[in-house]
């Protein structure tokens, strides 16, 4: 079996979820799938402008490149040893293996970089409340190995760097029906004074999502070697989160 290739230019895709009323439109769609032969990988590329109710009116550009995509239909298996995803100014590179037998399993690695988390938040219309200090929420770098196994999710180990603060640790969630989040992050030194004063272009005050937080089962901690707040300097600081249902 052989396919010469597929090419779509400047297409449009409209999606409507009749149950929830949510809508999404993909415009300026470019899709290219290279020549494919049975048992051989194929190159795939797509780029489009995403429009949803939660995104800015002008939309957000998304691009995906998988130069060595391999698909096996029965049982379903998808392998992408090289995978690049771009959303606005953020870019993630890594690999992916997906398998569906009796259960769904997937794993891979990812390296994420955004030159400005503040700019990314604006591009995704997440900038309701931001720190007043313009040097905060700058470059973001994240590296992890992740695993999905029939509903459970784990990112171990995880390395994160934001605003000069380096974190290492892990993040996981157990499988439904009662999923529980667990995490541990160890940071070197952070100055919380930089994040205390916040701005809001629409002057809408920040409201802590209490009900949403109560609905999350979580048990985790964040540890800092040094923490600075105004004139207070602390060492070996442990911050712990444990919701009522978040017991192991």
């Amino acid at each position: 079996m052989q396919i010469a290739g597929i090419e779509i230019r400047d297409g449009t895709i409209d999606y409507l979820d009749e149950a929830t009323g949510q809508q999404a439109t993909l415009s300026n769609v470019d899709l290219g799938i290279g020549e494919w032969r049975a048992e051989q990988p194929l190159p795939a590329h797509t780029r489009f402008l995403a429009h949803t109710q939660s995104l800015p009116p002008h939309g957000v550009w998304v691009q995906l490149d998988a130069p060595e995509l391999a698909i096996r239909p029965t049982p379903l298996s998808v392998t992408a040893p090289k995978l690049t995803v771009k959303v606005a100014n953020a870019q993630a590179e890594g690999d992916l293996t997906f398998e569906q037998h009796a259960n769904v399993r997937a794993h891979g690695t990812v390296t994420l970089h955004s030159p400005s988390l503040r700019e990314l938040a604006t591009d995704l219309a997440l900038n309701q409340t931001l720190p007043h200090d313009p040097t905060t929420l700058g470059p973001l770098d994240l590296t992890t190995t992740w695993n999905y196994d029939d509903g459970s999710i784990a990112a171990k180990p995880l390395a994160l760097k934001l605003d000069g603060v380096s974190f290492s640790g892990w993040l996981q969630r157990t499988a439904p029906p009662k999923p529980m989040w667990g995490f541990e992050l160890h940071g070197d030194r952070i100055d919380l004074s930089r994040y205390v004063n916040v701005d809001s272009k629409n002057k809408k005050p920040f409201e802590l999502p209490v009900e949403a937080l109560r609905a999350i089962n979580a048990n985790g901690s964040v540890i800092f070697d040094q923490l600075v707040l105004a004139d207070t300097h602390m060492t070996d600081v442990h911050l712990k989160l444990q919701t009522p249902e978040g017991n192991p």
Side-chain angles (χ1 to χ4, degrees):
M1 183 177 179
Q2 181 177 347
I3 298 176
I6 299 174
E7 185 173 347
I8 298 174
R9 290 289 177 264
D10 200 23
T12 300
I13 300 174
D14 291 313
Y15 170 80
L16 171 63
D17 188 327
E18 295 183 352
T20 63
Q22 293 183 344
Q23 297 179 328
T25 298
L26 308 183
S27 63
N28 303 87
V29 177
D30 289 342
L31 172 65
I33 299 178
E35 181 181 0
W36 178 75
R37 292 184 176 88
E39 305 300 327
Q40 296 294 320
L42 71 157
H45 163 84
T46 185
R47 184 173 184 264
F48 53 85
L49 189 59
H51 302 268
T52 69
Q53 295 164 324
S54 61
L55 292 175
H58 54 76
V60 173
W61 281 104
V62 178
Q63 179 176 319
L64 187 149
D65 291 282
E68 300 177 15
L69 185 66
I71 302 174
R72 184 183 64 195
T74 307
L76 180 59
S77 173
V78 179
T79 303
K82 295 181 180 180
L83 185 64
T84 302
V85 179
K86 296 180 181 179
V87 179
N89 76 347
Q91 176 171 311
E93 297 180 342
D95 58 83
L96 165 71
T97 298
F98 173 92
E99 297 178 343
Q100 184 174 10
H101 299 283
N103 299 323
V104 175
R105 293 185 173 88
H107 62 86
T109 61
V110 61
T111 298
L112 171 67
H113 173 72
S114 172
S116 172
L117 188 59
R118 180 180 292 263
E119 182 180 323
L120 179 62
T122 301
D123 291 340
L124 300 180
L126 301 176
N127 59 323
Q128 175 178 325
T129 304
L130 295 174
H132 178 72
D133 185 345
T135 66
T136 59
L137 303 183
L140 168 69
D141 291 283
L142 182 149
T143 301
T144 191
T145 297
W146 61 272
N147 180 76
Y148 177 91
D149 188 354
D150 201 29
S152 67
I153 305 170
K156 300 180 179 181
L158 185 151
L160 169 68
K161 188 171 184 178
L162 175 65
D163 295 342
V165 183
S166 297
F167 294 88
S168 61
W170 55 269
L171 171 71
Q172 66 180 19
R173 190 201 71 174
T174 59
K178 290 186 178 181
M180 185 180 77
W181 287 95
F183 61 90
E184 182 174 295
L185 292 176
H186 189 161
D188 46 17
R189 183 184 186 277
I190 187 169
D191 184 353
L192 288 184
S193 305
R194 302 172 64 194
Y195 304 89
V196 172
N197 296 322
V198 297
D199 288 333
S200 179
K201 291 183 179 179
N202 57 19
K203 303 304 179 183
K204 183 178 179 180
F206 174 77
E207 296 181 359
L208 189 67
V210 177
E211 295 301 322
L213 291 174
R214 287 176 177 172
I216 299 174
N217 297 332
N219 190 342
S221 60
V222 180
I223 304 167
F224 290 102
D225 294 335
Q226 299 180 53
L227 187 149
V228 178
L229 181 59
D231 295 329
T232 304
H233 294 250
M234 294 169 279
T235 59
D236 194 23
V237 178
H238 292 243
L239 306 176
K240 187 172 181 62
L241 170 66
Q242 183 170 313
T243 57
E245 299 296 327
N247 295 308

